[in-house]
Amino acid sequence: MSVTTGRGLAWAPLSEVDPELWAAIEGERDRQRWKLELIASENYVYRAVLEAQGTWLTNKYAEGLPGKRYYGGCEYVDVAERLAQERALALFPGAEHVNVQPHSGAQANMAAYLAVLDHGDRIMGLSLAHGGHLTHGSPVNFSGKWFEVHSYGVAPGTEVLDYDEVERAAREVRPRMLVAGASAYPRTLDFERLATIAHDIGAVLFVDMAHIAGLVAAGLHPSPFPHADLVTTTTHKTLRGPRGGLVFSREDLAPDLKANYPKLAKTTLSAAVDKSVFPGVQGGPLMHVIAAKAVALHLAATPEYREDQRRTVANARELAAALRDRGARLVSGGTDTHLMLVDVTPLGVTGREAEATLDEVAITVNKNAIPFDRNPPNIASGIRVGSPAVTTRGMGTAEMRQIGGLIVDAIEGRADPAVGARVAGTVHEICARFPVPGLPEA
């Protein structure tokens, strides 16, 4: 008998209402279970995060902020949002204000820009070709379309940031905002130096810490607080939360710096951030996602989480060493964080070819340009590799050494089906030993 008998479709499970979609969801569950996820921006959330995001909070509209909503009936979602706010500020000492509503990292960045800048204002950020992010000024992104963009990059010899050169460029360009942060830069960022560079020319420092937020929370990477004026992050990646964003800011800029920003003449920076999120770039917040953010931020304050982040960094270094020992070239020579940028051309392939080859043996990476790349981005000379997801599954340095070998074996033996079958079989065995936390078996 159908479970909908007498109650209608409102009470039916997804598998019955939409079996075609359910089959795709089931397929994704199997993909996550049986493939090694090495994309640096991906991770597996806690079971409690999944539970929170799947609750009936999704039914509630709550435009505005806690205690200042445009709808009635918000007394319980106010609790959820206040918990997320309190936990975010506690997790990052030195942070003064936070808005937990952004639907994504890109929208968090948009809100940060619009809180202080006008269209056409000048910004300077890390070049996308050198490890920056689309929202840091790429011409195909809103940031490149709305603002006058100048970029800085890594040094040709070391492939790391030369802060003296960043300072020289900033003094020449004189941007109104200096943007820091990256999506494919494996080295530690000096936020204190960047703040000095920005403030010395009367500019605000905006830090996008999306990739390293978990490391910052665990004390494994220098914090952008209290150096930066604006800080954004996603809540997934190393934070192991739901897909969404946060915007942190000072309560207000120092008077001499604030005088350079007409938009703040009659308001504080924190108020400008809140208005930039809503009604500036978003409507109603996603209360079920905010609840899941609150759970993730709560768990990120635990000793277990800090140990998970310590292992993430250790695993990244071991995986980088394994790849280097087998003939791949590590951009900048290695990693200080959870990710590495690997030049695969010494192995005889492009980034696109390496990504496709590894996917065939159930290892998931993404092709990525390397600094001064001679190939176009859709081909690329490198792959970006990260340790968060495999660390979350419980793997350690021994598995990282093994996985590094499997990656090179698959690439070097790509013309031999027997090599591919052997690598795929070993990957399957590893995945069987380390189940994905929170992923139901069936």
Side-chain angles (χ1 to χ4, degrees):
M1 178 182 294
S2 169
V3 297
T4 63
T5 300
R7 283 184 152 181
L9 290 175
W11 294 86
L14 175 59
S15 58
E16 182 175 320
V17 170
D18 195 338
E20 186 177 12
L21 177 62
W22 181 247
I25 294 173
E26 291 276 84
E28 174 59 16
R29 181 179 63 184
D30 286 343
R31 188 197 69 81
Q32 292 185 22
R33 177 183 294 141
W34 297 114
K35 290 194 173 187
L36 290 174
E37 184 58 75
L38 295 176
I39 292 177
S41 55
E42 296 195 12
N43 209 335
Y44 304 112
V45 300
Y46 296 90
R47 175 178 174 175
V49 170
L50 284 176
E51 289 181 5
Q53 190 162 353
T55 63
W56 42 89
L57 294 181
T58 193
N59 297 333
K60 188 71 190 89
Y61 245 125
E63 289 181 353
L65 292 166
K68 301 177 182 178
R69 305 289 191 183
Y70 290 83
Y71 289 83
C74 291
E75 58 269 31
Y76 297 111
V77 294
D78 277 2
V79 172
E81 185 162 347
R82 286 193 177 105
L83 284 173
Q85 292 170 334
E86 293 164 3
R87 292 169 179 178
L89 293 174
L91 189 61
F92 298 103
E96 297 177 8
H97 176 77
V98 67
N99 188 297
V100 301
Q101 294 187 4
H103 302 335
S104 69
Q107 284 189 283
N109 289 356
M110 184 183 290
Y113 285 125
L114 295 183
V116 296
L117 301 179
D118 290 311
H119 283 215
D121 278 350
R122 187 175 298 168
I123 66 172
M124 190 170 83
L126 180 60
S127 166
L128 179 64
H130 288 200
H133 190 260
L134 280 170
T135 56
H136 300 173
S138 170
V140 300
N141 180 258
F142 77 87
S143 55
K145 296 177 185 296
W146 291 357
F147 306 111
E148 179 189 324
V149 177
H150 298 260
S151 297
Y152 57 90
V154 300
T158 63
E159 296 176 312
V160 298
L161 290 175
D162 179 341
Y163 291 95
D164 290 338
E165 176 58 24
V166 175
E167 181 175 8
R168 185 206 62 76
R171 289 185 178 279
E172 178 182 315
V173 171
R174 306 197 74 81
R176 292 175 57 73
M177 175 184 281
L178 181 63
V179 183
S183 64
Y185 182 73
R187 295 303 187 176
T188 301
L189 292 166
D190 187 343
F191 297 126
E192 185 173 8
R193 178 71 189 279
L194 289 164
T196 299
I197 293 170
H199 295 158
D200 280 353
I201 60 170
V204 294
L205 175 63
F206 162 38
V207 171
D208 177 349
M209 66 170 184
H211 263 275
I212 58 171
L215 308 186
V216 171
L220 298 169
H221 187 288
S223 175
F225 306 103
H227 311 296
D229 305 295
L230 291 154
V231 178
T232 63
T233 182
T234 52
T235 44
H236 44 289
K237 302 185 177 78
T238 50
L239 275 178
R240 286 187 65 183
R243 293 188 175 274
L246 307 173
V247 185
F248 297 88
S249 73
R250 300 185 189 279
E251 283 293 346
D252 206 2
L253 296 178
D256 57 338
L257 185 57
K258 185 172 181 176
N260 298 331
Y261 295 88
K263 290 185 77 168
L264 301 180
K266 297 182 179 180
T267 189
T268 63
L269 178 58
S270 57
V273 165
D274 287 342
K275 289 182 179 179
S276 187
V277 175
F278 171 80
V281 301
Q282 294 184 177
L286 308 178
M287 295 313 305
H288 56 304
V289 180
I290 290 174
K293 291 176 185 178
V295 174
L297 293 164
H298 174 65
L299 292 169
T302 63
E304 179 181 322
Y305 175 84
R306 290 191 290 272
E307 173 61 16
D308 175 80
Q309 295 304 291
R310 185 199 65 77
R311 291 176 51 250
T312 296
V313 173
N315 280 348
R317 289 175 179 168
E318 188 67 24
L319 181 54
L323 291 167
R324 184 175 57 240
D325 291 348
R326 287 292 306 275
R329 189 183 76 82
L330 276 293
V331 170
S332 81
T335 178
D336 300 324
T337 65
H338 62 297
L339 66 82
M340 64 216 70
L341 199 53
V342 186
D343 180 358
V344 292
T345 56
L347 302 177
V349 292
T350 65
R352 182 167 68 180
E353 290 168 338
E355 177 187 302
T357 295
L358 293 172
D359 191 60
E360 290 176 359
V361 296
I363 299 175
T364 308
V365 301
N366 64 274
K367 61 182 174 293
N368 211 102
I370 63 174
F372 313 104
D373 206 325
R374 295 183 179 182
N375 284 316
N378 65 335
I379 296 177
S381 295
I383 55 175
R384 187 183 63 163
V385 179
S387 60
V390 288
T391 302
T392 294
R393 293 181 77 154
M395 299 177 203
T397 53
E399 286 75 33
M400 295 307 103
R401 177 65 60 171
Q402 184 180 21
I403 291 168
L406 293 173
I407 288 172
V408 179
D409 285 347
I411 292 173
E412 291 184 337
R414 60 193 178 279
D416 187 345
V419 172
R422 176 181 62 79
V423 171
T426 304
V427 168
H428 190 87
E429 292 171 5
I430 295 171
C431 290
R433 285 191 288 120
F434 296 96
V436 177
L439 195 70
E441 291 295 319

